[in-house]
Amino acid sequence: VQLQASGGGLVQAGGSLRLSCAASGSIFSINDMGWYRQAPGKQRELVGVITSGGRTTYADSVKGRFTISRDNAKNTVYLQMNSLKPEDTAVYYCNGAVPYALGPGEYDLWGQGTLVTVSS
């Protein structure tokens, strides 16, 4: 079971990008799914989270500019990024809370990261 992120790239300030993250393997469902990012020399930080029911939470720095959505049938989460700023430059990681197939609890699953570079 793995998460595969895609969609990163180079964009000018003010532009837009859409990231995707799809789960593959024997997986029935994913609870919360989220996006994190890590800029050079900085700690990884939360960008936003979406529950299985579609409720979203965002970091203050991206509110009003980024939108998280998901397709539960495809176990895929998206991150639409608009009005990008140079400070949004980072490696973006997707994350999913996967329930155990047998028994209670869940475990964290991480994607490999995709680089977003915003030029000024």
Side-chain angles (χ1 to χ4, degrees), residues 70-89:
R70 64 187 289 172
D71 184 334
N72 289 335
K74 296 181 180 179
N75 284 321
T76 299
V77 63
Y78 306 96
L79 180 66
Q80 177 66 44
M81 304 184 293
N82 299 328
S83 301
L84 282 160
K85 304 175 181 179
E87 51 263 44
D88 294 318
T89 295

Side-chain angles (χ1 to χ4, degrees), residues 9-77:
L10 174 64
V11 64
Q12 288 188 332
S16 299
L17 278 177
R18 187 186 192 221
L19 306 183
S20 300
C21 177
S24 62
S26 299
I27 189 168
F28 179 70
S29 65
I30 304 178
N31 294 334
D32 291 357
M33 300 187 78
W35 289 94
Y36 292 73
R37 66 185 181 185
Q38 187 166 17
K42 295 187 177 181
Q43 290 187 332
R44 189 175 297 188
E45 63 176 5
L46 174 70
V47 174
V49 175
I50 184 167
T51 67
S52 57
R55 180 174 295 180
T56 55
T57 304
Y58 298 96
D60 288 344
S61 58
V62 306
K63 280 182 182 177
R65 301 188 297 122
F66 290 11
T67 302
I68 295 178
S69 60
R70 64 187 289 172
D71 184 334
N72 289 335
K74 296 181 180 179
N75 284 321
T76 299
V77 63

Side-chain angles (χ1 to χ4, degrees), residues 5 91-94 111-115:
V91 177
Y92 284 70
Y93 298 89
C94 56
Q112 86 286 6
T114 184
L115 177 62

